[in-house]
Amino acid sequence: MMRLQRSTIVIGVAWLLFWTLMVSVAVEDYLRDGGKTLWQPVLWESSSMLAATGLLALQRRLTRNDDHLLATPWRWFGLQALFLPMYWVAFVPIAFGIRHGVYALAGMRYEHAAWGPTFFYESLKLSVFVGLFVVIVFGILSYRQLLEAKLRAEKANALLREAHLQRLRQQMQPHFLFNALNTISSLMHTDVMRADATLIELADVLRATLDVGELQVAPLSTELRLVRGYARVMQERYAERVAIAWRIDDEALACPVPVMSIQPLLENIFKHTVEKRRETAHIAISASRRDGMLVVTLDDDIGTLAPDAPPGVGLSNLRERMAALYGERASLALSPLAPGGVRAQMRVPCAS
């Protein structure tokens, strides 16, 4: 409705500007010819404007429902051409009737050419004028339809992206739950108390997951609740083989990140490093804000980076979600550290 009103306003402003120009030209010509009563040229053009406005408004009202024909211009223009006889028949009686009436009220008589030549001249002039204005209306309406089509396409793309993100997130939730339950199952055979404590930690993680609902992004502070819970679950399983240090800048806590984005990076370290080594793995998780970007880094000191190894489900999933949310503005990179270890670094926009 608002776009329709804007189109009407644009057409109305263009119409008024045109007739303002016509009145100005008529007044100038009248004065140049020695005329003294300025209301006369104003009346001539104003009566023409009123008559043409009424007829064009009627035409627009009768053809509004045929705007779908704009996609085939020859059909739309053909429909508009059918209204030309209406102007030929009605314009002169309306416009000249107004002039005769006003002149009569002023105690004067309006003089003009014979009716035959008058009808012919005015019809010819009006046909050209109406044709030009119909072309302008066609341009405005076509542009409006183009904008509406673009808006519909953007909305469809947004819905498609949202569905894709939702599918990816739903993929991660059972993946995380499977790993956590597998950890609890392993502990049940060696330490029931630790298994019970781990189950409590898992409940806290699931509660934090419910808190974000259907959100695709959440503040880093919320994401850290999930990651810290997951870290406690895994530390219960590998109590003597992992040490985690957290270095989180306070100014980064409000930055939005994809939900369950840091957890897959930490899970990757446990899967490819902690599970396969007997020595203690030291993991450092840091987050800071730099130049409008949130930089999240996970370092370990004993992992290795296989050059041709395909990315796992978690990393592939995270890269897809980041691409859908941020395009090329975000990045995720894995790199080796010297003398040993692997760095996973995620960069996402943070304008807050």
Side-chain angles (χ1 to χ4, degrees):
M1 180 63 68
M2 184 170 293
R3 288 190 294 274
L4 178 61
Q5 291 177 349
R6 287 177 180 173
S7 298
T8 303
I9 291 173
V10 170
I11 294 173
V13 170
W15 181 252
L16 288 176
L17 289 175
F18 173 80
W19 282 106
T20 300
L21 177 63
M22 293 293 290
V23 170
S24 300
V25 171
V27 170
E28 184 178 351
D29 290 342
Y30 179 77
L31 293 176
R32 187 166 50 243
D33 293 337
K36 300 299 182 180
T37 51
L38 292 181
W39 64 267
Q40 292 185 11
V42 174
L43 171 65
W44 302 339
E45 298 302 327
S46 298
S47 60
S48 296
M49 181 192 70
L50 291 174
T53 301
L55 294 174
L56 281 171
L58 177 62
Q59 177 182 350
R60 180 63 189 145
R61 181 180 181 85
L62 295 176
T63 60
R64 187 183 302 277
N65 293 332
D66 297 303
D67 284 353
H68 61 279
L69 297 177
L70 290 167
T72 53
W74 65 271
R75 295 180 62 189
W76 189 84
F77 279 109
L79 177 64
Q80 307 305 315
L82 294 177
F83 285 85
L84 280 176
M86 176 183 71
Y87 294 93
W88 301 339
V89 171
F91 175 79
V92 169
I94 296 174
F96 281 66
I98 295 174
R99 297 176 195 177
H100 278 285
V102 173
Y103 269 75
L105 291 175
M108 302 171 62
R109 182 177 179 182
Y110 178 57
E111 301 289 344
H112 58 83
W115 286 111
T118 297
F119 266 90
F120 177 78
Y121 173 74
E122 294 293 338
S123 297
L124 183 62
K125 183 176 68 173
L126 197 62
S127 296
V128 175
F129 165 72
V130 170
L132 290 174
F133 196 77
V134 165
V135 170
I136 295 174
V137 171
F138 174 80
I140 295 173
L141 295 177
S142 297
Y143 181 68
R144 189 190 75 188
Q145 285 198 352
L146 179 64
L147 292 181
E148 290 176 345
K150 183 179 179 181
L151 182 63
R152 288 193 298 270
E154 290 176 351
K155 184 176 181 180
N157 288 335
L159 292 174
L160 183 62
R161 187 186 71 170
E162 185 69 21
H164 180 60
L165 288 169
Q166 190 63 26
R167 178 184 63 80
L168 290 172
R169 179 179 167 180
Q170 289 172 350
Q171 181 187 56
M172 286 305 300
Q173 289 172 339
H175 190 257
F176 161 74
L177 186 59
F178 170 79
N179 283 282
L181 291 176
N182 189 50
T183 297
I184 295 171
S185 176
S186 299
L187 290 173
M188 289 292 293
H189 299 286
T190 57
D191 192 330
V192 175
M193 294 298 293
R194 285 176 59 199
D196 182 66
T198 305
L199 189 60
I200 294 174
E201 294 287 356
L202 175 59
D204 290 339
V205 173
L206 294 178
R207 187 178 299 109
T209 303
L210 292 175
D211 288 343
V212 297
E214 299 298 317
L215 297 176
Q216 299 299 340
V217 296
L220 176 64
S221 56
T222 301
E223 176 68 9
L224 287 176
R225 288 179 56 197
L226 300 172
V227 181
R228 291 182 188 274
Y230 174 78
R232 288 192 293 267
V233 170
M234 299 307 288
Q235 283 180 299
E236 286 296 333
R237 180 174 181 178
Y238 302 103
E240 305 299 328
R241 291 163 53 186
V242 64
I244 301 178
W246 302 83
R247 301 165 188 158
I248 310 297
D249 291 350
D250 290 341
E251 64 178 5
L253 292 175
C255 292
V257 296
V259 172
M260 296 190 75
S261 57
I262 304 177
Q263 181 269 332
L265 302 178
L266 183 57
E267 179 183 352
N268 203 49
I269 297 175
F270 277 102
K271 181 178 180 180
H272 296 288
T273 299
V274 178
E275 288 184 1
K276 297 181 179 180
R277 303 296 182 92
R278 289 299 174 185
E279 62 267 38
T280 300
H282 294 84
I283 302 173
I285 302 175
S286 63
S288 61
R289 184 181 173 190
R290 308 173 196 166
D291 301 324
M293 300 290 290
L294 171 65
V295 181
V296 178
T297 304
L298 287 81
D299 292 341
D300 71 78
D301 61 347
I302 60 174
T304 57
L305 188 62
D308 300 323
V313 173
L315 291 183
S316 297
N317 181 293
L318 178 55
R319 282 197 170 100
E320 281 194 64
R321 286 191 289 149
M322 290 174 62
L325 287 168
Y326 308 109
E328 297 181 354
R329 295 178 297 157
S331 63
L332 173 62
L334 301 181
S335 57
L337 297 174
V342 176
R343 167 170 291 176
Q345 189 171 83
M346 178 178 69
R347 299 172 65 90
V348 297
C350 177
S352 61

